[in-house]
Amino acid sequence: MTSSLSTILLFGLLAQAGPTAHFSLAPREGSPRNSEGDFIPLKDGRILFIYTNFTGGGADNAAAHLESRISADAGQTWSDKDQTIPAKQGQQNTMSVSLLRLKSGKIALFYLVKHSWKDCRAYMQLSDDEARTWAEPRLTMPQEGYYIVNNDRVIQLASGRIVVPAAWHRFVEGKEFNRRATALCFLSDDEGKTWRRGRGLVEPPQEGTSGLQEPLVVELKDGKLLMLCRTDLGSQYRCYSDDAGETWSPAQPSEIKSPLAPASLKRIPSTGDLLLIWNDHSKIDETLKHNRTPLCAAISRDEGKTFSPAKLIETDPQGWFCYTAIEFIDQRVLLAYCAGQGRKEGLNTTRITSFPIPWLYE
C-alpha cells in the first residue's frame, strides 16, 4: 500500500472515530489535584492549556496556583513540564481559569482569587505577546462577596462586551458557606478596563437547596443571551437576557436532565449549531442519580430549545466527569474535564480528549 493511500485511509478512519483520550493530569507528589482548566490556540499554531494545580489538598479552598502545558500537534500530545502562571495569589488559592481571545487580538486570562468564605472574586490579566507575559491583574467584581465563576465561562459578545457569569453565594450570619446561589453577570464595555455588575439578579427557585449555581452564558443568533445553571432539582435551569446581560428572565427548568453538576455550551464554528457537554441523566439508574456520569454530547439546531440524542464520551458509572473546557481545532472538538473516581477523588484528575465534529451528526 502506498504511503499516500495509507494516509488517506487513516484520515478517513479518524474522521469516523468517536472520542479519543490524549492526556491525563493525575495526582502526583505535592500535587493531589489538577483541575478546572481552559485552552487558547496561539497564533503560531500551538495550543496553550492553563489549569489549577492544587498543592495543599483536594478541597476547593486548599492552596493552589495556575500551571500551563503546551501542545504543538492540535492537542494529541502535551509538554511534560508545567510552567507556573504568575497570576494574583489569594490567601487560600487561585483557581478556575477562563481564556479568551479578544477582538483586539489580545489574550485575556480570567481566574478566581479566593481569600475566605466571604471573599472570592475574579481577576483578569491581558497578554499582547501570545501569553509570554501578562499585564497586572484587574479586579472584575467591584462588590466584595463570594462569587463562583467556572472555568471556560467568560465570553465576548458581538458588540465587544465581555460577560462574566457568576454564582453569588450571599453571606448568611452564622453560616460558614451559603450553598444557595443567585446568578448574575459582571460586564465590561472597554475590553476589561472597567467593570460593573449587571442590573438584574436571577433569583433561585423556592425549591431545592443549591439555588442557581455555576452559570454559563452563550450569545444566540438573534442577539439574546441564554444562561444555564446547575441545580439540585434534576435539570439545568434556563433563562434569557434581551439586553446583553443586564437583566434576565426568571429561571425555569429545562429538558436538560442532570445531577448537581455544571453543563458546558458553545457554538460550533463550522456548522453554527450549539454543542452541549453534560452528564445526561434522562435515563440514569436510580443508584447513580447523584453521580456526575455519564459524560455526553448533543447538538442543538434551534438555538438551545431542543437537543439531539446524547452521544457518549465517558461511561464509567463510578467516574466523576465535570468542569469541561471546549475548544474547536480544525474539524475536531478538544475537551478538558475532571475525570476522577467517585465524589471523594472525582476532581483530582484532568483528562484531555477529542473527537471529530462529524461524529456529532452521525
Side-chain angles (χ1 to χ4, degrees):
M1 186 180 293
T2 66
S3 175
S4 59
L5 181 57
S6 298
T7 301
I8 292 171
L9 290 175
L10 177 59
F11 179 81
L13 289 172
L14 288 174
Q16 298 302 315
T20 302
H22 298 293
F23 180 67
S24 286
L25 283 163
R28 55 194 186 274
E29 185 176 356
S31 180
R33 172 179 166 185
N34 303 283
S35 60
E36 289 98 6
D38 198 9
F39 304 104
I40 190 77
L42 302 177
K43 290 180 180 178
D44 64 6
R46 297 178 302 157
I47 303 170
L48 174 67
F49 178 64
I50 300 180
Y51 68 99
T52 311
N53 181 355
F54 285 79
T55 57
D60 285 347
N61 60 347
H65 60 273
L66 306 184
E67 300 275 2
S68 70
R69 299 288 179 108
I70 285 283
S71 174
D73 55 10
Q76 295 183 66
T77 62
W78 294 84
S79 57
D80 59 1
K81 290 185 179 180
D82 292 307
Q83 180 178 346
T84 299
I85 304 299
K88 182 177 176 64
Q89 300 297 309
Q91 294 174 22
Q92 292 183 343
N93 65 35
T94 299
M95 64 176 293
S96 201
V97 178
S98 287
L99 287 162
L100 184 64
R101 174 78 66 179
L102 300 177
K103 292 181 180 296
S104 66
K106 296 179 181 179
I107 296 174
L109 166 66
F110 297 85
Y111 51 85
L112 292 177
V113 173
K114 190 173 298 187
H115 294 297
S116 70
W117 291 116
K118 295 182 183 180
D119 188 357
C120 177
R121 289 183 281 178
Y123 282 76
M124 180 194 78
Q125 290 184 253
L126 293 177
S127 175
D128 58 9
D129 59 5
E130 293 302 282
R132 288 188 288 274
T133 62
W134 299 94
E136 288 299 306
R138 293 176 181 167
L139 181 63
T140 71
M141 299 172 170
Q143 292 89 351
E144 185 173 316
Y146 194 97
Y147 302 96
I148 292 296
V149 181
N150 277 24
N151 59 309
D152 194 19
R153 284 303 208 234
V154 182
I155 66 170
Q156 187 173 32
L157 306 183
S159 67
R161 171 172 286 181
I162 302 174
V163 179
V164 179
W168 181 21
H169 294 261
R170 306 186 215 199
F171 177 69
V172 176
E173 199 67 44
K175 284 189 176 182
E176 183 178 52
F177 179 66
N178 177 21
R179 289 176 54 82
R180 190 169 173 79
T182 299
L184 71 159
C185 290
F186 288 87
L187 311 171
S188 175
D189 292 310
D190 54 12
E191 205 166 68
K193 293 184 180 67
T194 60
W195 291 88
R196 61 185 175 82
R197 197 174 81 179
R199 297 194 307 270
L201 301 176
V202 190
E203 297 293 350
Q206 300 255 331
E207 308 84 4
T209 60
S210 71
L212 300 172
Q213 296 182 354
E214 300 181 338
L216 69 84
V217 170
V218 66
E219 187 171 19
L220 303 180
K221 292 178 180 177
D222 63 3
K224 292 182 180 179
L225 303 187
L226 164 64
M227 178 186 285
L228 294 178
C229 301
R230 84 175 199 179
T231 73
D232 57 1
L233 298 172
S235 73
Q236 298 286 315
Y237 268 51
R238 176 168 50 200
C239 60
Y240 294 91
S241 173
D242 293 320
D243 51 16
E246 292 281 4
T247 62
W248 295 86
S249 65
Q252 301 292 333
S254 74
E255 75 285 356
I256 304 170
K257 303 301 180 185
S258 69
L260 183 60
S264 292
L265 187 69
K266 280 197 176 181
R267 192 173 301 280
I268 304 172
S270 59
T271 68
D273 297 329
L274 293 175
L275 170 62
L276 174 70
I277 306 292
W278 87 117
N279 306 121
D280 179 21
H281 274 206
S282 59
K283 300 176 183 178
I284 198 71
D285 185 284
E286 183 67 17
T287 62
L288 301 175
K289 68 178 183 178
H290 298 298
N291 288 18
R292 295 177 179 179
T293 187
L295 187 67
C296 297
I299 56 171
S300 175
R301 295 181 171 91
D302 57 9
E303 296 297 274
K305 296 183 181 70
T306 62
F307 289 87
S308 63
K311 297 185 77 72
L312 294 170
I313 300 171
E314 298 274 8
T315 60
D316 184 350
Q318 301 307 317
W320 204 253
F321 308 112
C322 50
Y323 299 107
T324 304
I326 305 173
E327 190 59 63
F328 300 99
I329 305 296
D330 299 324
Q331 281 298 303
R332 295 188 72 80
V333 179
L334 189 63
L335 303 179
Y337 50 91
C338 295
Q341 286 288 309
R343 185 185 300 267
K344 186 176 180 181
E345 298 181 353
L347 303 179
N348 291 356
T349 297
T350 283
R351 182 171 297 159
I352 295 178
T353 296
S354 74
F355 56 80
I357 291 173
W359 174 73
L360 294 166
Y361 293 86
E362 291 176 357

